[in-house]
PDB file of all heavy atoms in Angstrom:
ATOM      1  N   LEU I   1       0.784  -1.222  -0.017  1.00 98.00           N
ATOM      2  CA  LEU I   1       0.009  -0.033   0.026  1.00 98.00           C
ATOM      3  C   LEU I   1       0.826   1.259   0.010  1.00 98.00           C
ATOM      4  O   LEU I   1       0.353   2.331  -0.494  1.00 98.00           O
ATOM      5  CB  LEU I   1      -0.949  -0.001   1.196  1.00 98.00           C
ATOM      6  CG  LEU I   1      -2.200  -0.940   1.059  1.00 98.00           C
ATOM      7  CD1 LEU I   1      -2.921  -1.007   2.383  1.00 98.00           C
ATOM      8  CD2 LEU I   1      -3.099  -0.450  -0.039  1.00 98.00           C
ATOM      9  N   THR I   2       2.019   1.237   0.556  1.00 97.00           N
ATOM     10  CA  THR I   2       2.839   2.473   0.544  1.00 97.00           C
ATOM     11  C   THR I   2       4.121   2.359  -0.221  1.00 97.00           C
ATOM     12  O   THR I   2       4.945   3.211  -0.170  1.00 97.00           O
ATOM     13  CB  THR I   2       3.168   2.922   2.012  1.00 97.00           C
ATOM     14  OG1 THR I   2       3.975   1.923   2.663  1.00 97.00           O
ATOM     15  CG2 THR I   2       1.877   3.104   2.824  1.00 97.00           C
ATOM     16  N   GLY I   3       4.347   1.240  -0.909  1.00 96.00           N
ATOM     17  CA  GLY I   3       5.563   1.094  -1.654  1.00 96.00           C
ATOM     18  C   GLY I   3       5.950  -0.337  -1.940  1.00 96.00           C
ATOM     19  O   GLY I   3       5.100  -1.181  -2.175  1.00 96.00           O
ATOM     20  N   ASP I   4       7.247  -0.645  -1.867  1.00 96.00           N
ATOM     21  CA  ASP I   4       7.735  -1.980  -2.243  1.00 96.00           C
ATOM     22  C   ASP I   4       7.865  -2.929  -1.090  1.00 96.00           C
ATOM     23  O   ASP I   4       8.420  -4.021  -1.255  1.00 96.00           O
ATOM     24  CB  ASP I   4       9.076  -1.810  -2.985  1.00 96.00           C
ATOM     25  CG  ASP I   4      10.172  -1.187  -2.119  1.00 96.00           C
ATOM     26  OD1 ASP I   4       9.882  -0.789  -0.963  1.00 96.00           O
ATOM     27  OD2 ASP I   4      11.272  -1.010  -2.629  1.00 96.00           O
ATOM     28  N   ARG I   5       7.482  -2.515   0.124  1.00 96.00           N
ATOM     29  CA  ARG I   5       7.561  -3.429   1.264  1.00 96.00           C
ATOM     30  C   ARG I   5       6.330  -3.303   2.149  1.00 96.00           C
ATOM     31  O   ARG I   5       5.635  -2.298   2.151  1.00 96.00           O
ATOM     32  CB  ARG I   5       8.810  -3.174   2.064  1.00 96.00           C
ATOM     33  CG  ARG I   5       8.931  -1.776   2.638  1.00 96.00           C
ATOM     34  CD  ARG I   5      10.279  -1.531   3.266  1.00 96.00           C
ATOM     35  NE  ARG I   5      10.435  -0.181   3.760  1.00 96.00           N
ATOM     36  CZ  ARG I   5       9.928   0.244   4.907  1.00 96.00           C
ATOM     37  NH1 ARG I   5       9.319  -0.552   5.706  1.00 96.00           N
ATOM     38  NH2 ARG I   5      10.087   1.541   5.256  1.00 96.00           N
ATOM     39  N   LEU I   6       6.096  -4.344   2.939  1.00 97.00           N
ATOM     40  CA  LEU I   6       4.959  -4.375   3.852  1.00 97.00           C
ATOM     41  C   LEU I   6       5.158  -3.365   4.990  1.00 97.00           C
ATOM     42  O   LEU I   6       6.255  -3.183   5.528  1.00 97.00           O
ATOM     43  CB  LEU I   6       4.782  -5.746   4.404  1.00 97.00           C
ATOM     44  CG  LEU I   6       3.685  -5.968   5.445  1.00 97.00           C
ATOM     45  CD1 LEU I   6       2.960  -7.254   5.182  1.00 97.00           C
ATOM     46  CD2 LEU I   6       4.250  -5.960   6.880  1.00 97.00           C
ATOM     47  N   THR I   7       4.058  -2.677   5.363  1.00 97.00           N
ATOM     48  CA  THR I   7       4.014  -1.792   6.537  1.00 97.00           C
ATOM     49  C   THR I   7       2.806  -2.065   7.391  1.00 97.00           C
ATOM     50  O   THR I   7       1.982  -2.933   7.061  1.00 97.00           O
ATOM     51  CB  THR I   7       4.056  -0.308   6.102  1.00 97.00           C
ATOM     52  OG1 THR I   7       2.788  -0.005   5.536  1.00 97.00           O
ATOM     53  CG2 THR I   7       5.197  -0.028   5.127  1.00 97.00           C
ATOM     54  N   VAL I   8       2.646  -1.247   8.427  1.00 97.00           N
ATOM     55  CA  VAL I   8       1.468  -1.407   9.286  1.00 97.00           C
ATOM     56  C   VAL I   8       0.160  -1.161   8.479  1.00 97.00           C
ATOM     57  O   VAL I   8      -0.930  -1.695   8.880  1.00 97.00           O
ATOM     58  CB  VAL I   8       1.514  -0.484  10.545  1.00 97.00           C
ATOM     59  CG1 VAL I   8       2.589  -0.948  11.452  1.00 97.00           C
ATOM     60  CG2 VAL I   8       1.714   0.945  10.120  1.00 97.00           C
ATOM     61  N   ALA I   9       0.216  -0.410   7.422  1.00 98.00           N
ATOM     62  CA  ALA I   9      -0.953  -0.172   6.622  1.00 98.00           C
ATOM     63  C   ALA I   9      -1.438  -1.487   6.001  1.00 98.00           C
ATOM     64  O   ALA I   9      -2.656  -1.744   5.937  1.00 98.00           O
ATOM     65  CB  ALA I   9      -0.634   0.844   5.513  1.00 98.00           C
ATOM     66  N   ASP I  10      -0.510  -2.280   5.491  1.00 98.00           N
ATOM     67  CA  ASP I  10      -0.893  -3.564   4.948  1.00 98.00           C
ATOM     68  C   ASP I  10      -1.465  -4.552   6.021  1.00 98.00           C
ATOM     69  O   ASP I  10      -2.350  -5.287   5.793  1.00 98.00           O
ATOM     70  CB  ASP I  10       0.299  -4.200   4.221  1.00 98.00           C
ATOM     71  CG  ASP I  10       0.828  -3.333   3.119  1.00 98.00           C
ATOM     72  OD1 ASP I  10       0.211  -3.331   2.045  1.00 98.00           O
ATOM     73  OD2 ASP I  10       1.851  -2.677   3.331  1.00 98.00           O
ATOM     74  N   ILE I  11      -0.827  -4.464   7.167  1.00 98.00           N
ATOM     75  CA  ILE I  11      -1.285  -5.333   8.290  1.00 98.00           C
ATOM     76  C   ILE I  11      -2.712  -5.010   8.658  1.00 98.00           C
ATOM     77  O   ILE I  11      -3.536  -5.880   8.815  1.00 98.00           O
ATOM     78  CB  ILE I  11      -0.318  -5.197   9.490  1.00 98.00           C
ATOM     79  CG1 ILE I  11       0.986  -5.863   9.211  1.00 98.00           C
ATOM     80  CG2 ILE I  11      -0.954  -5.720  10.759  1.00 98.00           C
ATOM     81  CD1 ILE I  11       2.097  -5.638  10.261  1.00 98.00           C
ATOM     82  N   THR I  12      -2.995  -3.719   8.781  1.00 98.00           N
ATOM     83  CA  THR I  12      -4.390  -3.274   9.062  1.00 98.00           C
ATOM     84  C   THR I  12      -5.335  -3.672   7.972  1.00 98.00           C
ATOM     85  O   THR I  12      -6.466  -4.128   8.242  1.00 98.00           O
ATOM     86  CB  THR I  12      -4.440  -1.777   9.280  1.00 98.00           C
ATOM     87  OG1 THR I  12      -3.607  -1.454  10.415  1.00 98.00           O
ATOM     88  CG2 THR I  12      -5.813  -1.305   9.617  1.00 98.00           C
ATOM     89  N   ALA I  13      -4.896  -3.522   6.750  1.00 98.00           N
ATOM     90  CA  ALA I  13      -5.725  -3.899   5.597  1.00 98.00           C
ATOM     91  C   ALA I  13      -6.037  -5.403   5.566  1.00 98.00           C
ATOM     92  O   ALA I  13      -7.144  -5.850   5.318  1.00 98.00           O
ATOM     93  CB  ALA I  13      -5.081  -3.488   4.300  1.00 98.00           C
ATOM     94  N   PHE I  14      -5.003  -6.221   5.859  1.00 98.00           N
ATOM     95  CA  PHE I  14      -5.214  -7.663   5.905  1.00 98.00           C
ATOM     96  C   PHE I  14      -6.302  -8.045   6.932  1.00 98.00           C
ATOM     97  O   PHE I  14      -7.191  -8.834   6.673  1.00 98.00           O
ATOM     98  CB  PHE I  14      -3.917  -8.369   6.214  1.00 98.00           C
ATOM     99  CG  PHE I  14      -4.033  -9.875   6.269  1.00 98.00           C
ATOM    100  CD1 PHE I  14      -3.965 -10.608   5.137  1.00 98.00           C
ATOM    101  CD2 PHE I  14      -4.287 -10.498   7.497  1.00 98.00           C
ATOM    102  CE1 PHE I  14      -4.122 -12.047   5.193  1.00 98.00           C
ATOM    103  CE2 PHE I  14      -4.432 -11.917   7.530  1.00 98.00           C
ATOM    104  CZ  PHE I  14      -4.321 -12.652   6.387  1.00 98.00           C
ATOM    105  N   ALA I  15      -6.186  -7.438   8.151  1.00 97.00           N
ATOM    106  CA  ALA I  15      -7.184  -7.738   9.154  1.00 97.00           C
ATOM    107  C   ALA I  15      -8.575  -7.223   8.696  1.00 97.00           C
ATOM    108  O   ALA I  15      -9.573  -7.872   8.983  1.00 97.00           O
ATOM    109  CB  ALA I  15      -6.731  -7.008  10.473  1.00 97.00           C
ATOM    110  N   GLY I  16      -8.610  -6.106   8.046  1.00 98.00           N
ATOM    111  CA  GLY I  16      -9.834  -5.567   7.570  1.00 98.00           C
ATOM    112  C   GLY I  16     -10.541  -6.440   6.539  1.00 98.00           C
ATOM    113  O   GLY I  16     -11.752  -6.698   6.606  1.00 98.00           O
ATOM    114  N   PHE I  17      -9.789  -6.987   5.581  1.00 98.00           N
ATOM    115  CA  PHE I  17     -10.319  -7.859   4.583  1.00 98.00           C
ATOM    116  C   PHE I  17     -10.794  -9.166   5.226  1.00 98.00           C
ATOM    117  O   PHE I  17     -11.861  -9.745   4.829  1.00 98.00           O
ATOM    118  CB  PHE I  17      -9.363  -8.103   3.481  1.00 98.00           C
ATOM    119  CG  PHE I  17      -9.353  -7.016   2.424  1.00 98.00           C
ATOM    120  CD1 PHE I  17      -8.272  -6.213   2.279  1.00 98.00           C
ATOM    121  CD2 PHE I  17     -10.441  -6.926   1.532  1.00 98.00           C
ATOM    122  CE1 PHE I  17      -8.295  -5.203   1.327  1.00 98.00           C
ATOM    123  CE2 PHE I  17     -10.438  -5.967   0.552  1.00 98.00           C
ATOM    124  CZ  PHE I  17      -9.356  -5.065   0.458  1.00 98.00           C
ATOM    125  N   ALA I  18     -10.041  -9.702   6.180  1.00 97.00           N
ATOM    126  CA  ALA I  18     -10.448 -10.875   6.878  1.00 97.00           C
ATOM    127  C   ALA I  18     -11.760 -10.692   7.620  1.00 97.00           C
ATOM    128  O   ALA I  18     -12.665 -11.567   7.622  1.00 97.00           O
ATOM    129  CB  ALA I  18      -9.371 -11.356   7.847  1.00 97.00           C
ATOM    130  N   PHE I  19     -11.890  -9.539   8.259  1.00 97.00           N
ATOM    131  CA  PHE I  19     -13.112  -9.223   8.946  1.00 97.00           C
ATOM    132  C   PHE I  19     -14.275  -9.069   7.953  1.00 97.00           C
ATOM    133  O   PHE I  19     -15.398  -9.493   8.198  1.00 97.00           O
ATOM    134  CB  PHE I  19     -12.923  -7.918   9.735  1.00 97.00           C
ATOM    135  CG  PHE I  19     -13.967  -7.654  10.811  1.00 97.00           C
ATOM    136  CD1 PHE I  19     -14.981  -8.576  11.068  1.00 97.00           C
ATOM    137  CD2 PHE I  19     -13.935  -6.526  11.555  1.00 97.00           C
ATOM    138  CE1 PHE I  19     -15.882  -8.315  12.088  1.00 97.00           C
ATOM    139  CE2 PHE I  19     -14.838  -6.233  12.541  1.00 97.00           C
ATOM    140  CZ  PHE I  19     -15.867  -7.158  12.770  1.00 97.00           C
ATOM    141  N   ALA I  20     -14.027  -8.447   6.809  1.00 98.00           N
ATOM    142  CA  ALA I  20     -15.046  -8.263   5.777  1.00 98.00           C
ATOM    143  C   ALA I  20     -15.566  -9.689   5.307  1.00 98.00           C
ATOM    144  O   ALA I  20     -16.753  -9.903   5.164  1.00 98.00           O
ATOM    145  CB  ALA I  20     -14.482  -7.507   4.583  1.00 98.00           C
ATOM    146  N   ASP I  21     -14.589 -10.605   5.078  1.00 97.00           N
ATOM    147  CA  ASP I  21     -15.043 -11.924   4.681  1.00 97.00           C
ATOM    148  C   ASP I  21     -15.942 -12.561   5.745  1.00 97.00           C
ATOM    149  O   ASP I  21     -16.952 -13.163   5.434  1.00 97.00           O
ATOM    150  CB  ASP I  21     -13.806 -12.831   4.484  1.00 97.00           C
ATOM    151  CG  ASP I  21     -12.975 -12.425   3.244  1.00 97.00           C
ATOM    152  OD1 ASP I  21     -13.489 -11.711   2.384  1.00 97.00           O
ATOM    153  OD2 ASP I  21     -11.766 -12.811   3.205  1.00 97.00           O
ATOM    154  N   PHE I  22     -15.527 -12.375   7.033  1.00 96.00           N
ATOM    155  CA  PHE I  22     -16.298 -12.974   8.109  1.00 96.00           C
ATOM    156  C   PHE I  22     -17.690 -12.339   8.200  1.00 96.00           C
ATOM    157  O   PHE I  22     -18.698 -12.991   8.482  1.00 96.00           O
ATOM    158  CB  PHE I  22     -15.638 -12.789   9.406  1.00 96.00           C
ATOM    159  CG  PHE I  22     -16.313 -13.332  10.617  1.00 96.00           C
ATOM    160  CD1 PHE I  22     -16.296 -14.654  10.909  1.00 96.00           C
ATOM    161  CD2 PHE I  22     -17.029 -12.421  11.453  1.00 96.00           C
ATOM    162  CE1 PHE I  22     -16.992 -15.131  12.018  1.00 96.00           C
ATOM    163  CE2 PHE I  22     -17.668 -12.913  12.572  1.00 96.00           C
ATOM    164  CZ  PHE I  22     -17.675 -14.288  12.853  1.00 96.00           C
ATOM    165  N   ALA I  23     -17.775 -10.973   7.944  1.00 97.00           N
ATOM    166  CA  ALA I  23     -19.030 -10.293   8.050  1.00 97.00           C
ATOM    167  C   ALA I  23     -19.893 -10.434   6.810  1.00 97.00           C
ATOM    168  O   ALA I  23     -21.036  -9.884   6.788  1.00 97.00           O
ATOM    169  CB  ALA I  23     -18.738  -8.823   8.322  1.00 97.00           C
ATOM    170  N   GLY I  24     -19.429 -11.095   5.770  1.00 97.00           N
ATOM    171  CA  GLY I  24     -20.217 -11.316   4.554  1.00 97.00           C
ATOM    172  C   GLY I  24     -20.144 -10.170   3.557  1.00 97.00           C
ATOM    173  O   GLY I  24     -20.992 -10.059   2.719  1.00 97.00           O
ATOM    174  N   ILE I  25     -19.083  -9.394   3.646  1.00 98.00           N
ATOM    175  CA  ILE I  25     -18.866  -8.316   2.669  1.00 98.00           C
ATOM    176  C   ILE I  25     -17.876  -8.819   1.652  1.00 98.00           C
ATOM    177  O   ILE I  25     -16.658  -8.922   1.974  1.00 98.00           O
ATOM    178  CB  ILE I  25     -18.358  -7.016   3.323  1.00 98.00           C
ATOM    179  CG1 ILE I  25     -19.348  -6.496   4.379  1.00 98.00           C
ATOM    180  CG2 ILE I  25     -18.136  -5.942   2.232  1.00 98.00           C
ATOM    181  CD1 ILE I  25     -18.910  -5.263   5.098  1.00 98.00           C
ATOM    182  N   GLU I  26     -18.282  -9.140   0.485  1.00 97.00           N
ATOM    183  CA  GLU I  26     -17.371  -9.698  -0.509  1.00 97.00           C
ATOM    184  C   GLU I  26     -16.564  -8.621  -1.174  1.00 97.00           C
ATOM    185  O   GLU I  26     -17.071  -7.485  -1.439  1.00 97.00           O
ATOM    186  CB  GLU I  26     -18.200 -10.471  -1.573  1.00 97.00           C
ATOM    187  CG  GLU I  26     -18.925 -11.661  -1.075  1.00 97.00           C
ATOM    188  CD  GLU I  26     -19.627 -12.408  -2.187  1.00 97.00           C
ATOM    189  OE1 GLU I  26     -19.480 -12.044  -3.326  1.00 97.00           O
ATOM    190  OE2 GLU I  26     -20.354 -13.374  -1.847  1.00 97.00           O
ATOM    191  N   THR I  27     -15.265  -8.915  -1.422  1.00 98.00           N
ATOM    192  CA  THR I  27     -14.446  -8.032  -2.191  1.00 98.00           C
ATOM    193  C   THR I  27     -14.833  -8.046  -3.633  1.00 98.00           C
ATOM    194  O   THR I  27     -14.896  -9.139  -4.232  1.00 98.00           O
ATOM    195  CB  THR I  27     -12.962  -8.446  -2.062  1.00 98.00           C
ATOM    196  OG1 THR I  27     -12.616  -8.463  -0.701  1.00 98.00           O
ATOM    197  CG2 THR I  27     -12.107  -7.431  -2.765  1.00 98.00           C
ATOM    198  N   PRO I  28     -15.211  -6.942  -4.261  1.00 98.00           N
ATOM    199  CA  PRO I  28     -15.574  -6.935  -5.649  1.00 98.00           C
ATOM    200  C   PRO I  28     -14.555  -7.637  -6.559  1.00 98.00           C
ATOM    201  O   PRO I  28     -13.339  -7.351  -6.402  1.00 98.00           O
ATOM    202  CB  PRO I  28     -15.705  -5.387  -5.973  1.00 98.00           C
ATOM    203  CG  PRO I  28     -16.098  -4.797  -4.676  1.00 98.00           C
ATOM    204  CD  PRO I  28     -15.278  -5.595  -3.665  1.00 98.00           C
ATOM    205  N   THR I  29     -15.024  -8.476  -7.488  1.00 97.00           N
ATOM    206  CA  THR I  29     -14.078  -9.251  -8.259  1.00 97.00           C
ATOM    207  C   THR I  29     -13.241  -8.385  -9.238  1.00 97.00           C
ATOM    208  O   THR I  29     -12.208  -8.844  -9.705  1.00 97.00           O
ATOM    209  CB  THR I  29     -14.897 -10.311  -9.052  1.00 97.00           C
ATOM    210  OG1 THR I  29     -15.889  -9.682  -9.855  1.00 97.00           O
ATOM    211  CG2 THR I  29     -15.525 -11.281  -8.073  1.00 97.00           C
ATOM    212  N   HIS I  30     -13.734  -7.190  -9.574  1.00 98.00           N
ATOM    213  CA  HIS I  30     -12.989  -6.404 -10.505  1.00 98.00           C
ATOM    214  C   HIS I  30     -11.763  -5.719  -9.897  1.00 98.00           C
ATOM    215  O   HIS I  30     -10.977  -5.082 -10.593  1.00 98.00           O
ATOM    216  CB  HIS I  30     -13.885  -5.327 -11.168  1.00 98.00           C
ATOM    217  CG  HIS I  30     -14.343  -4.255 -10.239  1.00 98.00           C
ATOM    218  ND1 HIS I  30     -15.519  -4.418  -9.441  1.00 98.00           N
ATOM    219  CD2 HIS I  30     -13.862  -3.025  -9.945  1.00 98.00           C
ATOM    220  CE1 HIS I  30     -15.679  -3.352  -8.702  1.00 98.00           C
ATOM    221  NE2 HIS I  30     -14.741  -2.502  -8.973  1.00 98.00           N
ATOM    222  N   LEU I  31     -11.573  -5.845  -8.615  1.00 98.00           N
ATOM    223  CA  LEU I  31     -10.423  -5.209  -7.943  1.00 98.00           C
ATOM    224  C   LEU I  31      -9.256  -6.138  -8.075  1.00 98.00           C
ATOM    225  O   LEU I  31      -8.856  -6.796  -7.087  1.00 98.00           O
ATOM    226  CB  LEU I  31     -10.778  -4.896  -6.481  1.00 98.00           C
ATOM    227  CG  LEU I  31     -11.950  -3.959  -6.258  1.00 98.00           C
ATOM    228  CD1 LEU I  31     -12.154  -3.657  -4.754  1.00 98.00           C
ATOM    229  CD2 LEU I  31     -11.772  -2.629  -7.013  1.00 98.00           C
ATOM    230  N   LYS I  32      -8.684  -6.236  -9.236  1.00 98.00           N
ATOM    231  CA  LYS I  32      -7.604  -7.177  -9.544  1.00 98.00           C
ATOM    232  C   LYS I  32      -6.302  -6.876  -8.765  1.00 98.00           C
ATOM    233  O   LYS I  32      -5.586  -7.799  -8.373  1.00 98.00           O
ATOM    234  CB  LYS I  32      -7.284  -7.147 -11.039  1.00 98.00           C
ATOM    235  CG  LYS I  32      -8.497  -7.440 -11.902  1.00 98.00           C
ATOM    236  CD  LYS I  32      -9.085  -8.826 -11.622  1.00 98.00           C
ATOM    237  CE  LYS I  32     -10.213  -9.163 -12.561  1.00 98.00           C
ATOM    238  NZ  LYS I  32     -10.855 -10.450 -12.222  1.00 98.00           N
TER     239      LYS I  32
END
């Protein structure tokens, strides 16, 4: 999210997407 290496922003995003999956919010398929 901020460049060529992982940061806390990516960590937060990973947790966010995992929570979205659990809550039934699907990631749109066009977001390649």
Side-chain angles (χ1 to χ4, degrees):
L1 285 171
T2 63
D4 61 359
R5 61 186 176 82
L6 177 139
T7 70
V8 291
D10 299 284
I11 288 175
T12 299
F14 180 85
F17 276 110
F19 196 3
D21 291 342
F22 179 79
I25 302 176
E26 296 183 4
T27 303
T29 56
H30 68 274
L31 301 182
K32 303 300 184 183

